[in-house]
Amino acid sequence: MNDQLSEHYREILIAVGENPEREGLLDTPKRAAKAMQYLCHGYDKSLEEVVNGALFASDNDEMVIVKDIELYSLCEHHLLPFIGKAHVAYIPTGKVLGLSKIARIVDMYARRLQIQENLTRQIADSIQAVTQAAGVAVVIEAQHMCMMMRGVEKQNSIMNTSVMLGAFRESYNTRHEFLQLIGRSK
C-alpha cells in the first residue's frame, strides 16, 4: 500500500508542475505516503480494540467530564487539516470507562477523513454504546485549514459542534451544568 500511495504522491508532484527528481523532493512521495497513513490510522482500529475491556464497576452516577482533548483530523472535502479540542461527558449507570479510552475514542475517529459534524456524532454514539450511560455530551471546537488557507481565508473562525444524548438532551439543567463546566456557558 505504501508503494502505491507513494507513486500517487509522485504523480501529484508532477501534476502541480514540480520535478519529483529534484533533490529536495526525491523522498517526498515516500514521506507523504507515510504521513498520510499515519494521519488516517483510525481506519485500522475498532471501538472494541480501543476500549479493550476498560469498563469498571462504579456507584458513581454523577457527570464525568474529560475536556480539552486535542484532536487532529483531515477534512474529507479538501484533505486539509482541522485542529481543535473535544469535550466529552457522560453520566454513568453502574460502569465507568477508563480515562484514556475517551481520548483514544476521539483519536480513532479523528484519524479518518472526516467532517466535524460527523466526528462529534461518532464520538457521542460510541461513548453511549460502550457505557450505556444515562446521557452523553460531546462538544468539539476546531479551526479548519480549508477555511484558513484557501477559499474565504478566515483566520480566526472556529467551528463548534455538539451532540447531546439522553439526559443531556432531555434536561436543560444537565446540559447547562456541562456547558458551564467546560466554560461554554455564562
Coordinates of all heavy atoms in Angstrom, one line a residue, residues 127-166:
I127 N -19.4 6.5 22.8 CA -19.4 6.5 24.3 C -20.7 5.9 24.8 O -20.7 5.2 25.8 CB -19.1 8.0 24.8 CG1 -17.8 8.5 24.3 CG2 -19.2 8.0 26.3 CD1 -16.6 7.9 24.9
Q128 N -21.8 6.3 24.2 CA -23.1 5.8 24.6 C -23.1 4.2 24.5 O -23.6 3.5 25.4 CB -24.2 6.4 23.8 CG -25.6 5.9 24.1 CD -26.0 6.2 25.5 OE1 -25.8 7.3 26.0 NE2 -26.5 5.2 26.2
A129 N -22.7 3.7 23.3 CA -22.7 2.3 23.1 C -21.9 1.5 24.1 O -22.3 0.5 24.6 CB -22.3 2.0 21.7
V130 N -20.7 2.1 24.4 CA -19.8 1.4 25.3 C -20.2 1.4 26.8 O -20.2 0.4 27.5 CB -18.4 2.0 25.1 CG1 -17.4 1.5 26.3 CG2 -17.8 1.6 23.8
T131 N -20.7 2.6 27.2 CA -21.0 2.8 28.6 C -22.5 2.5 29.0 O -22.7 2.3 30.2 CB -20.6 4.2 29.0 OG1 -21.5 5.1 28.3 CG2 -19.2 4.5 28.8
Q132 N -23.4 2.6 28.0 CA -24.8 2.6 28.3 C -25.2 3.7 29.3 O -26.0 3.5 30.2 CB -25.2 1.2 28.8 CG -25.0 0.1 27.9 CD -25.8 0.3 26.6 OE1 -27.0 0.5 26.6 NE2 -25.0 0.2 25.4
A133 N -24.5 4.8 29.2 CA -24.7 6.0 30.1 C -26.1 6.5 30.0 O -26.8 6.3 29.0 CB -23.7 7.1 29.7
A134 N -26.5 7.2 31.1 CA -27.8 7.9 31.1 C -27.8 9.1 30.2 O -28.8 9.5 29.8 CB -28.1 8.4 32.6
G135 N -26.6 9.5 29.8 CA -26.5 10.6 28.9 C -25.1 10.8 28.5 O -24.1 10.5 29.2
V136 N -24.9 11.4 27.3 CA -23.5 11.6 26.7 C -23.6 13.0 26.1 O -24.6 13.3 25.4 CB -23.1 10.6 25.7 CG1 -21.8 11.0 25.1 CG2 -23.0 9.2 26.3
A137 N -22.5 13.8 26.3 CA -22.4 15.1 25.6 C -21.0 15.2 25.0 O -20.0 14.8 25.6 CB -22.7 16.2 26.6
V138 N -21.0 15.7 23.8 CA -19.7 16.0 23.1 C -19.8 17.3 22.5 O -20.7 17.6 21.8 CB -19.4 14.9 22.1 CG1 -18.1 15.2 21.4 CG2 -19.3 13.5 22.7
V139 N -18.8 18.2 22.7 CA -18.6 19.5 22.1 C -17.2 19.5 21.5 O -16.3 19.1 22.1 CB -18.8 20.7 23.0 CG1 -18.3 22.0 22.4 CG2 -20.2 20.8 23.5
I140 N -17.2 19.8 20.2 CA -15.9 20.0 19.5 C -15.8 21.4 19.0 O -16.7 21.9 18.4 CB -15.7 19.0 18.4 CG1 -15.7 17.5 18.9 CG2 -14.4 19.3 17.6 CD1 -15.5 16.5 17.8
E141 N -14.6 22.0 19.2 CA -14.3 23.3 18.6 C -13.0 23.2 17.8 O -12.1 22.6 18.4 CB -14.2 24.4 19.7 CG -13.3 24.0 20.8 CD -13.5 25.0 22.0 OE1 -14.6 24.9 22.7 OE2 -12.6 25.7 22.3
A142 N -13.0 23.6 16.6 CA -11.9 23.4 15.7 C -11.7 24.5 14.7 O -12.7 25.1 14.3 CB -12.0 22.0 15.1
Q143 N -10.5 24.6 14.3 CA -10.1 25.5 13.2 C -9.8 24.7 12.0 O -9.1 23.6 12.1 CB -8.9 26.4 13.6 CG -9.3 27.4 14.6 CD -8.1 28.3 14.9 OE1 -7.1 28.0 15.5 NE2 -8.3 29.6 14.5
H144 N -10.3 25.1 10.9 CA -10.2 24.3 9.6 C -9.3 25.0 8.6 O -9.6 26.1 8.2 CB -11.6 24.1 9.0 CG -12.5 23.3 9.9 ND1 -12.9 22.0 9.5 CD2 -13.1 23.4 11.1 CE1 -13.7 21.5 10.4 NE2 -13.8 22.3 11.4
M145 N -8.3 24.3 8.3 CA -7.3 24.9 7.3 C -8.0 25.1 5.9 O -7.6 26.0 5.2 CB -6.1 24.0 7.1 CG -5.3 23.8 8.4 SD -4.6 25.4 9.0 CE -5.2 25.2 10.7
C146 N -9.0 24.4 5.6 CA -9.7 24.6 4.3 C -10.4 25.9 4.3 O -10.7 26.5 3.3 CB -10.7 23.4 4.0 SG -11.9 23.1 5.3
M147 N -10.7 26.5 5.5 CA -11.3 27.9 5.6 C -10.2 28.9 5.8 O -10.3 30.1 5.4 CB -12.2 28.0 6.7 CG -13.6 27.7 6.3 SD -15.0 28.3 7.2 CE -14.7 30.0 7.6
M148 N -9.0 28.5 6.3 CA -8.0 29.4 6.6 C -7.0 29.6 5.5 O -6.5 30.7 5.2 CB -7.2 29.0 7.9 CG -8.1 28.9 9.1 SD -7.4 28.1 10.5 CE -6.2 29.4 11.0
M149 N -6.6 28.5 4.8 CA -5.6 28.5 3.8 C -6.1 28.8 2.4 O -5.3 29.1 1.5 CB -4.8 27.2 3.8 CG -4.0 27.0 5.1 SD -3.3 25.3 5.1 CE -2.1 25.5 3.8
R150 N -7.4 28.5 2.2 CA -7.9 28.6 0.8 C -9.3 29.2 0.9 O -9.8 29.5 2.0 CB -8.0 27.2 0.1 CG -8.7 26.2 1.0 CD -9.1 25.0 0.2 NE -10.0 25.2 -0.9 CZ -11.3 25.5 -0.8 NH1 -11.9 25.6 0.3 NH2 -12.0 25.7 -1.9
G151 N -10.1 29.3 -0.1 CA -11.4 29.7 -0.1 C -11.6 31.1 0.5 O -11.0 32.1 0.1
V152 N -12.3 31.2 1.6 CA -12.6 32.5 2.2 C -11.5 33.1 3.0 O -11.5 34.2 3.4 CB -13.9 32.5 3.1 CG1 -15.1 32.2 2.2 CG2 -13.8 31.5 4.2
E153 N -10.5 32.2 3.4 CA -9.3 32.6 4.1 C -9.6 33.4 5.4 O -9.1 34.5 5.6 CB -8.3 33.4 3.2 CG -7.8 32.6 2.0 CD -6.8 33.3 1.2 OE1 -6.2 34.3 1.6 OE2 -6.6 32.9 0.0
K154 N -10.4 32.9 6.2 CA -10.8 33.5 7.5 C -9.9 32.8 8.6 O -10.1 31.7 9.0 CB -12.3 33.3 7.8 CG -13.2 33.9 6.8 CD -12.9 35.4 6.7 CE -13.7 36.1 5.6 NZ -13.2 37.4 5.2
Q155 N -9.0 33.6 9.1 CA -8.0 33.1 10.0 C -8.5 32.8 11.5 O -7.9 32.1 12.2 CB -6.8 34.0 10.1 CG -6.2 34.3 8.8 CD -5.8 33.0 8.0 OE1 -5.1 32.2 8.5 NE2 -6.3 32.8 6.8
N156 N -9.5 33.5 11.9 CA -10.0 33.5 13.3 C -11.3 32.7 13.5 O -11.8 32.8 14.6 CB -10.0 34.9 13.9 CG -8.7 35.5 13.9 OD1 -7.7 35.0 14.3 ND2 -8.6 36.7 13.3
S157 N -11.8 32.0 12.5 CA -13.0 31.4 12.6 C -12.8 30.0 13.3 O -11.8 29.3 13.1 CB -13.7 31.1 11.2 OG -12.9 30.3 10.4
I158 N -13.8 29.7 14.2 CA -13.7 28.5 14.9 C -15.1 27.8 14.8 O -16.1 28.5 15.0 CB -13.4 28.7 16.4 CG1 -12.0 29.3 16.6 CG2 -13.6 27.4 17.2 CD1 -11.7 29.6 18.0
M159 N -15.1 26.6 14.4 CA -16.4 25.8 14.2 C -16.6 25.1 15.5 O -15.8 24.4 16.0 CB -16.3 24.9 13.1 CG -17.6 24.1 12.9 SD -17.4 23.1 11.4 CE -19.0 22.4 11.3
N160 N -17.9 25.2 16.1 CA -18.3 24.4 17.2 C -19.4 23.5 16.8 O -20.3 23.9 16.1 CB -18.8 25.4 18.3 CG -17.7 26.2 19.0 OD1 -16.9 25.6 19.7 ND2 -17.7 27.5 18.7
T161 N -19.3 22.3 17.3 CA -20.4 21.3 17.0 C -20.7 20.6 18.4 O -19.8 20.5 19.2 CB -20.0 20.2 16.0 OG1 -18.7 19.7 16.4 CG2 -19.9 20.8 14.6
S162 N -21.9 20.2 18.5 CA -22.3 19.5 19.8 C -23.3 18.4 19.4 O -24.0 18.5 18.5 CB -22.8 20.4 20.8 OG -24.1 20.9 20.4
V163 N -23.2 17.3 20.2 CA -24.2 16.3 20.2 C -24.5 16.0 21.7 O -23.6 15.8 22.5 CB -23.7 15.0 19.5 CG1 -24.6 13.8 19.7 CG2 -23.4 15.2 18.1
M164 N -25.8 16.0 22.0 CA -26.3 15.7 23.3 C -27.2 14.5 23.3 O -28.2 14.6 22.5 CB -27.1 17.0 23.9 CG -26.3 18.3 23.9 SD -25.0 18.3 25.1 CE -24.1 19.8 24.6
L165 N -27.0 13.5 24.1 CA -27.8 12.3 24.1 C -28.3 12.1 25.5 O -27.7 12.5 26.5 CB -26.9 11.1 23.7 CG -26.2 11.1 22.3 CD1 -25.4 9.9 22.2 CD2 -27.2 11.3 21.2
G166 N -29.5 11.5 25.6 CA -30.1 11.1 26.9 C -30.3 12.3 27.8 O -30.9 13.3 27.3

